[in-house]
């Protein structure tokens, strides 16, 4: 059951990431077209692409967590099954605690920015914190799923630099 | 200040070396700092700085350049570029080794990522080199060393990150990276030729000028992409983000409509891969917002600048020290971490001593790219060793001549700013 949910969530997050990236790119291209052919672009494009990018980062983080795909130094994770399992256990527990703390203290940030307007979007500043809050929640779920499924570190040779 | 910094960086480094993902190690360092030195940094400030780390429209350029490079790759560009590299240079003794380097040079112009270069070039060239009698460890070593060029020849994602964190011009950095990038290729080719002569590696048959022209025509549209990016940026036609998005659109059109080598499924997989690659980097940048807040609060950069000015070091000495420090850091940390954590602290000192920001950017990116092939944590060594099924230690040994060549080039670039600055100038 946990493995199935692990796999489903990984796929769902991957599709969401692809959609976010495509949406960002299309918005940016429309902005260029509008500027060159209509004289000026939309005032909200900048803020929307930033929020989409933040969503890409914060939703990408749990997706990569489920895949064990984050950038990491492989001195321990690549050196023996026992140590890799222990490391996986520690970091999964760490991400559950960290994500929960971020969710808890993030409420203060939401409240603090709920009264600050973003004129270009016609809304308030707390909207920029929602991607991080969603990411924190998903990181907690990803950590718990990894713990439940016993997901270990494998080679992270697909890391990016 | 020393105790605060020791706590922040000590916790982060211990976590990184234990194998904890970099973004979590950084966050862990920040949290321990916030607890140890309360009330300097409240939990609300920690949350705010994590969010503000990414609250900048200029950072949107990073996913766009990842997308452009990935789509070019899934669109069959790598095969075309490898054909061109072989047609150009494979007839010289040690031909496939040279072709591997030449392929990395041309591939660097479309990807901006060293790992993408190593994966794309290595998947084709390493098996071909093994078939031709090269040792697997040598094939892996030459692929790893030449993939470092990907960070220096534009478009380069580390250069975009450097510019965003320091206020340097992306266009100038891209222009300035062309000559050092080509020189990296030339230095590696010299090393490859000397090794080939000593070991009597074979030469491939010259395929004729006709094949060279045909290969060039086949890859022309891929080669045009870096030209469009640089012209767009230097000409001031659009912002870095907009150019990145247009490059991604160009890559999609070339791959799907003109060459018709990428179907919808491949395109979707490419978009997912690009999104994941971008997320890996962006989450580190997000968390680095807290690092930058702490470093600014403690006036680390100003104090470092004052210290170096007090020591009365000249700009060349300071630049050499920065390069040396980054190479040492690069033996453990990967480029993005170095660029977002260490570089912002070094820049004020470098600028105060009179170092040109563009020159500094190229030295920083070249130094961090060398770190990708230095043990114990040279990610390119492990990727290519896995591709070649060679022991990592042998690959490290085979990489040494190439590492030496790159260090000689780095020294030249530090000592002679004109190598970097004459093109943007």
């Amino acid at each position: 059951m946990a493995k199935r949910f692990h796999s489903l969530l990984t796929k769902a997050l991957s599709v969401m990431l692809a959609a976010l990236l495509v949406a960002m790119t299309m918005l940016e291209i429309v902005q260029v077209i509008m500027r060159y052919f209509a004289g000026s672009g939309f005032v909200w494009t900048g803020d929307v692409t930033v929020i989409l990018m933040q969503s890409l980062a914060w939703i990408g983080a749990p997706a990569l967590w489920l895949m064990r795909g984050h950038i990491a130094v492989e001195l321990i994770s690549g050196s023996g099954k026992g140590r890799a399992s222990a490391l996986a256990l520690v970091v999964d527990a760490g991400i559950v605690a960290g994500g929960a703390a971020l969710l808890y203290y993030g409420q203060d940030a939401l409240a603090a920015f709920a009264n600050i307007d973003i004129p270009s979007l016609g809304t308030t500043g707390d909207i920029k914190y929602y991607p991080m809050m969603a990411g924190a929640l998903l990181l907690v779920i990803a950590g718990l799923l990894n713990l439940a499924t016993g997901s270990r570190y494998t080679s992270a040779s697909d890391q990016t630099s | 200040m020393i105790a605060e910094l020791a706590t922040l960086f000590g916790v982060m480094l211990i976590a990184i070396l234990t194998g904890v993902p970099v973004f979590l190690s950084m966050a862990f360092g920040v949290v321990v700092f916030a607890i140890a030195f309360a009330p300097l940094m409240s939990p609300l400030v920690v949350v705010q700085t994590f969010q503000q780390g990414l609250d900048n429209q200029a950072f949107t350029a990073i996913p766009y350049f990842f997308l452009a490079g990935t789509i070019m790759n899934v669109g069959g560009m790598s095969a075309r570029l490898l054909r061109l590299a072989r047609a150009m240079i494979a007839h010289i003794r040690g031909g496939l080794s040279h072709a591997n380097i030449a392929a990395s040079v041309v591939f660097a112009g479309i990807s901006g990522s060293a790992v993408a270069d190593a994966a794309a070039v290595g998947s084709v060239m390493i098996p071909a080199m093994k078939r031709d009698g090269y040792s697997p460890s040598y094939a892996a070593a030459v692929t790893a060393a030449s993939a470092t060029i990907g960070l220096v020849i534009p478009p380069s994602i580390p250069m975009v990150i450097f510019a965003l964190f320091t206020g340097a011009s992306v266009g100038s950095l891209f222009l300035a990276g062309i000559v050092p990038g080509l020189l990296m290729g030339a230095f590696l080719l010299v090393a490859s030729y000397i090794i080939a002569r000593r070991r009597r590696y074979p030469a491939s048959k010259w395929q004729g000028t006709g094949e060279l022209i045909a290969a060039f025509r086949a890859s022309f549209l891929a080669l045009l992409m870096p030209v469009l990016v640089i012209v767009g940026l230097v000409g001031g036609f659009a912002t870095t983000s907009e150019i990145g998005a247009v490059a991604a659109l160009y890559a999609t059109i070339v791959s799907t409509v003109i060459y018709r080598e990428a179907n919808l499924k491949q395109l979707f997989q490419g978009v997912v891969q690009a999104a994941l690659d971008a997320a890996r980097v962006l989450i580190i940048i997000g968390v680095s917002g807290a690092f930058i807040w702490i470093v600014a609060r403690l006036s680390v950069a100003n104090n470092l600048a004052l210290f170096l000015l007090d020591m009365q070091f000249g700009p060349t000495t300071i630049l050499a020290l920065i390069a040396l420090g980054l190479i040492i850091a690069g033996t453990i940390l990967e480029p993005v971490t170095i660029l977002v954590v260490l570089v912002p602290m070094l820049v004020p000192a470098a600028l105060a001593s009179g170092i040109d920001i563009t020159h500094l950017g190229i030295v920083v990116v070249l130094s961090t790219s060398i770190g990708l092939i230095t043990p114990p944590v040279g990610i390119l060594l492990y990727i290519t060793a896995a591709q070649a099924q060679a022991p990592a230690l042998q690959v490290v040994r085979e990489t040494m001549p190439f590492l030496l060549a790159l260090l000689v080039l780095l020294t030249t670039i530090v000592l002679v700013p004109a190598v970097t600055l004459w093109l943007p100038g």
Side-chain angles (χ1 to χ4, degrees):
Chain A
M1 180 69 179
K3 276 190 177 167
R4 191 172 156 74
F5 188 51
H6 188 286
S7 161
L8 275 174
L9 186 61
T10 308
K11 279 181 192 159
L13 291 178
S14 299
V15 172
M16 210 183 289
L17 288 174
L20 285 167
L21 184 52
V22 169
M24 277 175 73
T25 313
M26 286 174 72
L27 264 180
E28 198 80 53
I29 289 164
V30 168
Q31 182 74 353
V32 176
I33 292 168
M34 290 292 288
R35 217 183 51 242
Y36 274 97
F37 296 101
S40 68
F42 301 114
V43 289
W44 45 264
T45 307
D47 282 319
V48 172
T49 49
V50 167
I51 292 169
L52 290 174
M53 174 187 64
Q54 289 174 332
S55 307
L56 185 70
W58 285 103
I59 291 172
L64 288 163
W65 196 268
L66 291 166
M67 297 170 187
R68 298 283 190 211
H70 277 287
I71 297 174
V73 171
E74 289 191 287
L75 290 179
I76 285 191
S77 55
S79 66
K81 243 180 182 176
R83 292 171 78 179
S85 296
L87 173 72
L89 196 71
V90 170
V91 296
D92 282 328
I95 203 69
V96 171
L102 198 54
L103 271 174
Y104 179 77
Y105 289 110
Q107 304 291 331
D108 295 343
L110 285 177
F113 284 85
N115 298 318
I116 298 171
D117 286 333
I118 303 180
S120 64
L121 296 179
T123 183
T124 49
D126 54 344
I127 193 172
K128 290 196 171 180
Y129 283 83
Y130 283 113
M132 188 173 68
M133 297 297 277
L137 177 64
L138 287 165
L139 277 170
V140 172
I141 296 170
L144 289 172
L145 278 173
N146 276 357
L147 284 169
T149 54
S151 159
R152 287 200 192 92
Y153 277 95
T154 52
S155 173
S157 56
D158 63 339
Q159 288 173 346
T160 299
S161 293
Chain B
M1 187 180 78
I2 302 292
E4 285 94 332
L5 283 180
T7 306
L8 180 69
F9 284 94
V11 171
M12 180 191 82
L13 270 178
I14 290 169
I16 286 178
L17 289 175
T18 332
V20 177
V22 171
F23 88 96
L24 188 60
S25 302
M26 291 168 68
F28 195 40
V30 169
V31 169
V32 172
F33 172 88
I35 293 168
F37 299 100
L40 191 65
M41 193 180 200
S42 68
L44 179 61
V45 174
V46 174
V47 174
Q48 269 181 275
T49 49
F50 281 174
Q51 188 275 334
Q52 284 165 357
L54 278 173
D55 197 0
N56 182 344
Q57 204 200 340
F59 288 135
T60 55
I62 295 167
Y64 301 145
F65 280 114
F66 270 117
L67 184 61
T70 311
I71 291 178
M72 276 293 193
N73 201 6
V74 298
M77 285 301 109
S78 37
R80 290 165 189 269
L81 294 175
L82 287 169
R83 181 184 167 195
L84 176 65
R86 290 178 85 144
M88 280 194 308
I89 208 165
H91 57 286
I92 301 170
R93 181 178 284 281
L96 282 185
S97 174
H98 310 327
N100 192 326
I101 295 165
S104 289
V105 172
V106 287
F107 205 81
I110 64 164
S111 83
S113 157
V115 172
D117 288 8
V121 175
S123 63
V124 178
M125 290 306 287
I126 289 175
M129 287 179 74
K130 281 165 75 175
R131 274 197 303 274
D132 248 28
Y134 295 83
S135 72
S137 51
Y138 178 77
V142 74
T143 307
S146 60
T148 58
I149 302 170
L151 298 192
V152 181
I153 288 185
S156 154
I157 290 163
M159 278 185 200
V160 174
I161 297 174
F162 177 87
L164 297 177
F165 275 80
T166 62
S169 152
V170 178
S172 295
L173 280 170
F174 278 9
L175 268 182
I178 293 173
V179 174
L182 294 175
L183 283 175
M184 283 173 87
F187 275 58
L188 292 176
L189 280 172
V190 170
S192 159
Y193 184 70
I194 293 169
I195 294 168
R197 282 192 66 104
R198 279 193 179 171
R199 298 185 185 174
R200 299 181 181 281
Y201 282 142
S204 301
K205 198 180 160 197
W206 167 242
Q207 292 169 311
T209 317
E211 166 60 13
L212 182 60
I213 293 168
F216 180 76
R217 286 180 63 177
S219 50
F220 177 73
L221 289 173
L223 296 171
L224 202 60
M225 196 177 90
V227 178
L228 292 176
V229 168
I230 290 170
V231 169
L233 283 173
V234 176
F237 295 109
T239 63
T240 311
S241 300
E242 289 169 349
I243 294 283
V246 171
L249 178 69
Y250 174 83
T252 309
I253 292 171
V254 169
S255 301
T256 54
V257 180
I258 299 175
Y259 289 143
R260 294 172 188 233
E261 288 195 27
N263 57 33
L264 268 181
K265 190 182 172 191
Q266 290 167 319
L267 202 61
F268 173 73
Q269 285 167 345
V271 176
V272 171
Q273 187 57 50
L276 288 170
D277 287 344
R280 272 191 193 103
V281 173
L282 288 173
I283 195 67
I284 291 175
I285 292 175
V287 177
S288 77
F291 255 76
I292 291 165
W293 186 92
I294 295 169
V295 165
R297 187 72 192 261
L298 298 176
S299 300
V300 177
N302 289 343
N303 286 326
L304 188 63
L306 288 173
F307 170 74
L308 288 174
L309 290 175
D310 275 354
M311 299 294 284
Q312 297 192 320
F313 290 139
T316 309
T317 311
I318 291 180
L319 197 57
L321 285 173
I322 289 174
L324 183 66
L326 293 182
I327 287 173
I328 293 169
T331 59
I332 296 169
L333 301 174
E334 43 65 58
V336 178
T337 315
I338 292 175
L339 286 166
V340 303
V341 174
L342 297 181
V343 170
M345 288 194 292
L346 301 171
V347 170
L351 296 183
S353 69
I355 297 168
D356 184 277
I357 187 87
T358 306
H359 188 204
L360 176 69
I362 299 302
V363 169
V364 165
V365 172
L366 181 53
S367 305
T368 54
S369 71
I370 289 173
L372 290 170
I373 53 166
T374 50
V377 187
I379 182 85
L380 292 178
L381 297 174
Y382 300 114
I383 291 173
T384 57
Q387 283 178 320
Q389 293 172 321
L393 199 62
Q394 274 182 30
V395 178
V396 171
R397 205 173 297 141
E398 290 280 24
T399 309
M400 287 304 147
F402 299 111
L403 186 59
L404 184 67
L406 292 176
L407 289 174
V408 170
L409 174 64
L410 177 62
T411 310
T412 310
I413 287 173
V414 167
L415 294 175
V416 190
V419 174
T420 305
L421 296 177
W422 78 269
L423 196 54

